[in-house]
Amino acid sequence: MDQNLQKAIQLLQQGELVAFPTETVYGLGADASSTQAVKKIFALKGRPANHPVIVHLAHSVQVSDWAKDIPAIAWQLAKAFWPGPLTLILKRSSQVPDAVTGGQDTVGLRIPSHPVAQSLLQAFGGGIAAPSANHFGHISPTKAEHVRQEFPDLFILEGDEAEIGLESTIIDLSSEKPRLLRPGGISLAEIEKVIGKVERANKTSPRASGMLKSHYAPNTPTLLLNKEEIKTLDTQAPLGVLLYSFTAHELKLMPQTWRVICLKADAKAYGQALYHSLRELESTQAIIIIERPPQTAEWLAVQDRLKRASAHHESLKPDQLKQLFG
């Protein structure tokens, strides 16, 4: 067995934390059966205790250890999308610690496809509770170096950059009708091809990862603007500008204080590069400006992340914007 993998397993068995790669983002893992180990996740991240974490498993046969009253459509989705970026919310079994579920009667389960995550889960043998390996509410990490920036002393089981780059799709199957709680690596259209109509989350839906109004956010003021609004920006303030439908050559100004990143006008490619790009701009610029994404179904996950990333500044009025830009 690889020495790093062996060390990761030993740390988990000792109730310690380990960061590891998945196809979505890097996770901050602990033994999901240990309340004390899971509590260390919340303490390190600064995560509210009532905010549940997802349990990662190696095989679908383990689902019955963590959930009960499992509907037939759960197995249909598992067959179609596991291993992969899909989390199912199910009724929890009696063995699941309250620390994992945020005190709710449901639990989120997922089987990641990343080979390093699979090796870890198979060798560990149990469930690993793992939210993203970053401080709560900050941009999720898609590379090992992002995790080191957040937690320099944390042991990281390293792997390639996340293939998808956005968190898993979360589907609630704990009530009569399936509901989409968080769009992600698998589209709603793909889900509905398997199980039919899926409703959107409402006030009675279980709490789940990434559902707060502000989340995935840079520590830098972040604004979503339309293409024409960005083209007419007139400021010497150090801006980080994230585009997809046009290039820096079309901007009215291009001062040396600006840094412009142009991503592909493809939802999956954009999503894969989004968090890394936001981290680059956050580290060098005072304000981040993001071109508003297309309002189409394939961009739903990107729309969700950018809306939450910019939530603190979405309602700024023109005079407040002017003051922000100096």
Side-chain angles (χ1 to χ4, degrees), residues 4-5 7-9 11-12 16-32 41 53-58 110-122 124 126-134 140-148 151 154-162:
N4 288 328
L5 178 60
K7 181 176 181 180
I9 293 166
L11 287 169
L12 291 171
E16 301 300 332
L17 304 181
V18 169
F20 65 97
T22 78
E23 70 277 18
T24 57
V25 299
Y26 268 72
L28 178 61
D31 180 356
I41 293 176
V53 292
I54 294 168
V55 177
H56 294 65
L57 305 172
R110 167 164 123 76
I111 299 178
S113 62
H114 194 289
V116 175
Q118 272 292 316
S119 294
L120 177 65
L121 286 159
Q122 290 176 24
F124 180 65
I128 298 179
S132 55
N134 58 288
S140 298
T142 57
K143 297 182 177 182
E145 66 185 76
H146 298 162
V147 182
R148 276 191 287 271
F151 307 121
L154 182 68
F155 178 79
I156 305 171
L157 186 61
E158 295 197 27
D160 295 335
E161 182 177 4

Side-chain angles (χ1 to χ4, degrees), residues 166-177:
L166 297 179
E167 295 78 3
S168 61
T169 303
I170 301 181
I171 301 293
D172 173 29
L173 301 179
S174 66
S175 56
E176 188 175 329
K177 296 180 180 180

Side-chain angles (χ1 to χ4, degrees), residues 294-306:
Q295 301 301 297
T296 56
E298 61 265 32
W299 286 80
L300 185 61
V302 170
Q303 294 167 20
D304 174 81
R305 302 312 189 273
L306 292 183

Side-chain angles (χ1 to χ4, degrees), residues 209-227:
S209 298
M211 292 182 66
L212 297 180
K213 181 179 180 181
S214 177
H215 216 84
Y216 318 110
N219 293 323
T220 298
T222 301
L223 304 173
L224 282 181
L225 297 180
N226 296 325
K227 177 179 179 178

Side-chain angles (χ1 to χ4, degrees), residues 23-322:
E23 70 277 18
T24 57
V25 299
Y26 268 72
L28 178 61
D31 180 356
S33 67
S34 168
T35 294
Q36 293 307 311
V38 173
K39 283 184 175 180
K40 290 180 180 180
I41 293 176
F42 288 81
L44 185 61
K45 282 179 65 73
R47 187 182 182 94
N50 67 349
H51 205 61
V53 292
I54 294 168
V55 177
H56 294 65
L57 305 172
H59 309 285
S60 58
V61 294
Q62 296 172 282
V63 169
S64 298
D65 296 333
W66 297 86
K68 65 180 183 179
D69 303 329
I70 303 168
I73 57 174
W75 300 116
Q76 293 171 6
L77 289 172
K79 182 178 180 180
F81 301 113
W82 278 354
L86 174 67
T87 295
L88 300 181
I89 304 295
L90 301 166
K91 292 290 186 182
R92 63 185 274 194
S93 70
S94 58
Q95 77 156 29
V96 183
D98 284 346
V100 167
T101 69
Q104 300 179 110
D105 63 356
T106 56
V107 63
L109 303 176
R110 167 164 123 76
I111 299 178
S113 62
H114 194 289
V116 175
Q118 272 292 316
S119 294
L120 177 65
L121 286 159
Q122 290 176 24
F124 180 65
I128 298 179
S132 55
N134 58 288
H135 290 97
F136 184 69
H138 192 218
I139 308 165
S140 298
T142 57
K143 297 182 177 182
E145 66 185 76
H146 298 162
V147 182
R148 276 191 287 271
Q149 291 167 5
E150 301 265 346
F151 307 121
D153 298 326
L154 182 68
F155 178 79
I156 305 171
L157 186 61
E158 295 197 27
D160 295 335
E161 182 177 4
E163 178 184 358
I164 293 173
L166 297 179
E167 295 78 3
S168 61
T169 303
I170 301 181
I171 301 293
D172 173 29
L173 301 179
S174 66
S175 56
E176 188 175 329
K177 296 180 180 180
R179 293 173 181 167
L180 174 68
L181 302 191
R182 179 178 71 184
I186 296 173
S187 71
L188 183 58
E190 290 173 301
I191 299 289
E192 292 185 330
K193 282 182 181 178
V194 176
I195 62 171
K197 181 66 175 177
V198 175
E199 297 187 352
R200 297 299 181 96
N202 59 31
K203 293 181 179 179
T204 65
S205 299
R207 297 186 303 278
S209 298
M211 292 182 66
L212 297 180
K213 181 179 180 181
S214 177
H215 216 84
Y216 318 110
N219 293 323
T220 298
T222 301
L223 304 173
L224 282 181
L225 297 180
N226 296 325
K227 177 179 179 178
E228 294 308 315
E229 291 175 315
I230 295 174
K231 281 187 173 183
T232 57
L233 284 174
D234 187 359
T235 178
Q236 295 292 322
L239 301 186
V241 185
L242 196 59
L243 308 174
Y244 71 89
S245 72
F246 66 104
T247 68
H249 297 295
E250 298 179 55
L251 293 170
K252 179 179 179 181
L253 289 178
M254 185 55 187
Q256 292 184 348
T257 52
W258 291 20
R259 183 174 180 193
V260 179
I261 296 177
C262 298
L263 299 183
K264 293 182 180 180
D266 170 84
K268 289 187 177 181
Y270 185 106
Q272 195 277 333
L274 174 59
Y275 289 156
H276 177 68
S277 300
L278 288 179
R279 282 178 174 270
E280 282 194 26
L281 296 179
E282 173 191 57
S283 66
T284 60
Q285 305 305 107
I287 303 169
I288 296 175
I289 303 296
I290 303 173
E291 182 183 1
R292 196 176 299 278
Q295 301 301 297
T296 56
E298 61 265 32
W299 286 80
L300 185 61
V302 170
Q303 294 167 20
D304 174 81
R305 302 312 189 273
L306 292 183
K307 180 179 179 181
R308 298 179 197 278
S310 61
H312 284 310
H313 300 92
E314 66 178 353
S315 59
L316 289 181
K317 296 178 180 179
D319 58 331
Q320 294 173 308
L321 283 173
K322 186 176 181 180

